[in-house]
Amino acid sequence: MTRTVLEAGGDGWAVFGGRRAHQVVDHVDLRLDRVTEGFWAVVAEFEGPARAWRFAEVERYRAPGGPPMWRGPRAGEWTTSLDRAAYVEGVRAVRRAIRDGDVYQVNLCRVLSAPLAPAAGEPDAAALAARLSAGNPAPYSGALHVPGGGDHPAVWIVTASPELFLRIGDGWITSGPIKGTAATIEGLTAKDAAENVMIADMVRNDLQRVCLPGTVEVTRLLDVEPHPGLVHLVTTVRGALTDATWPAVLRATFPPASVSGAPKHAALDLIASLEPVPRGPYCGAVGWIDADERRAELAVGIRTFWWAPEGGGVLRFGTGAGITWDSDPEAEWAETELKAARLVGLASR
């Protein structure tokens, strides 16, 4: 599919869903109902805002072959917002809140950072996307780069997300929450299954707010999905969408249930008290909206890198785990290490 360029100006590019978009011509806050035509790339930060960039030209895209020329930070330069002792204590704090009846489950996360200051301009997001595509293929991979200094808000993000947040098409809205992670199928536990069912129930409740009564259903329950270096438990929930606008859909579903907790508002309060830095696009949403075709696909912003120019330049990556009463603090720390190891290794030199 190729659209004719009707508007001039703008810059930046995006690659999502087998399409490459060029030439930013507009941007919006998704809380406003202005996404009515055209192709948009979306990044919704966990704490907000939710933004979309409209592109004038869209074409079919196949990733180029050959070795990607990405040059990332040194492997030993990564630091974490919560070290092992702090993360383990955070898990214990969540378990105390569960014991007291404040929450049932909370996703506790940490953000890894490393300095990355190119000699000129900004890092090559396309090169990192190619590196991840070759070394860690993911069903909802993508990238968006709008350089700073232009007419539109800057953004630099590369994702290898395995998790579907929302897919819209043919009158249906679908979500595929992940809960349960292990190195092998044998490593998945009863705790993983119980947590997945709990989060899937939250997703059902969220979708019911924007779906026709009686149409929300679980179509896949506790499927095991293999990914490079690990496996996940995935449940799929869908419903017949009403004529809800994007602001209404986001109010009903965001942030994603699988990376917040239950009950959602109480979990978010606890997350804010335990995590020392904002998550940003990590655990938010990344993807695309085709308003002309009334289709969209947003991934949960996990296994995701983002870059900012502050301090000369810094590359970030988030990792976390879902905490329940049955959680072992050291095992949850190990899960965050497992989720980060392969991707951070690919992004490092």
Side-chain angles (χ1 to χ4, degrees):
M1 174 187 64
T2 303
R3 290 194 177 89
T4 303
V5 178
L6 300 177
E7 301 165 88
D11 51 12
W13 57 268
V15 173
F16 289 109
R19 290 178 281 189
R20 183 178 178 98
H22 307 267
Q23 199 173 29
V24 179
V25 292
D26 195 7
H27 68 272
V28 299
D29 184 325
L30 277 181
R31 292 173 299 181
L32 305 176
D33 191 16
R34 283 183 50 206
V35 181
T36 57
E37 61 179 351
F39 182 88
W40 302 76
V42 176
V43 176
E45 296 191 3
F46 185 77
E47 301 87 0
R51 295 182 295 180
W53 292 257
R54 183 184 174 194
F55 288 85
E57 183 177 357
V58 187
E59 60 191 5
R60 293 294 183 187
Y61 175 76
R62 177 176 293 179
M69 303 304 292
W70 167 253
R71 185 173 177 83
R74 293 182 176 86
E77 293 180 323
W78 291 90
T79 60
T80 175
S81 61
L82 290 170
D83 63 15
R84 182 173 185 163
Y87 190 86
V88 165
E89 178 52 38
V91 174
R92 293 184 179 126
V94 173
R95 293 185 74 250
R96 289 193 293 270
I98 295 171
R99 178 199 62 197
D100 294 341
D102 298 328
V103 292
Y104 306 111
Q105 190 265 9
V106 172
N107 203 65
L108 184 64
C109 299
R110 55 195 180 97
V111 175
L112 310 181
S113 304
L116 183 59
E122 300 182 358
D124 187 350
L128 178 56
R131 172 72 63 86
L132 299 188
S133 178
N136 195 97
Y140 306 107
S141 60
L144 169 63
H145 184 200
V146 179
D151 295 331
H152 305 284
V155 60
W156 193 111
I157 191 165
V158 178
T159 184
S161 177
E163 182 173 0
L164 175 65
F165 173 38
L166 297 173
R167 178 186 294 122
I168 292 176
D170 300 324
W172 291 88
I173 183 168
T174 303
S175 186
I178 287 176
K179 273 298 162 208
T181 301
T184 65
I185 294 176
E186 293 74 21
L188 294 168
T189 67
K191 177 259 186 187
D192 294 319
E195 187 180 7
N196 187 291
V197 171
M198 184 188 306
I199 296 304
D201 195 48
M202 287 182 62
V203 173
R204 286 195 314 111
N205 290 335
D206 288 349
L207 293 189
Q208 283 171 353
R209 299 173 186 170
V210 290
C211 288
L212 298 175
T215 64
V216 176
E217 60 180 346
V218 173
T219 59
R220 297 167 56 208
L221 179 64
L222 300 178
D223 274 4
V224 177
E225 282 191 2
H227 294 273
L230 47 73
V231 295
H232 288 306
L233 283 180
V234 183
T235 291
T236 304
V237 186
R238 75 166 191 167
L241 187 65
T242 66
D243 58 356
T245 62
W246 270 108
V249 169
L250 287 176
R251 282 195 301 269
T253 60
F254 195 83
S258 64
V259 289
S260 52
K264 188 179 283 188
H265 290 297
L268 291 174
D269 288 342
L270 190 54
I271 287 168
S273 71
L274 294 176
E275 296 182 13
V277 300
R279 294 184 184 180
Y282 172 60
C283 291
V286 185
W288 56 270
I289 297 171
D290 191 323
D292 297 333
E293 297 185 357
R294 299 182 63 83
R295 293 183 178 275
E297 189 171 84
L298 304 183
V300 178
I302 58 174
R303 318 293 150 80
T304 296
F305 293 91
W306 67 104
W307 182 88
E310 61 198 58
V314 60
L315 185 67
R316 293 188 172 94
F317 179 89
T319 185
I323 313 303
T324 69
W325 176 250
D326 293 329
S327 289
D328 173 80
E330 292 289 348
E332 300 295 356
W333 168 263
E335 182 175 319
T336 71
E337 291 278 87
L338 173 65
K339 290 173 177 175
R342 184 182 186 91
L343 285 153
V344 170
L346 288 169
S348 304
R349 58 184 166 94

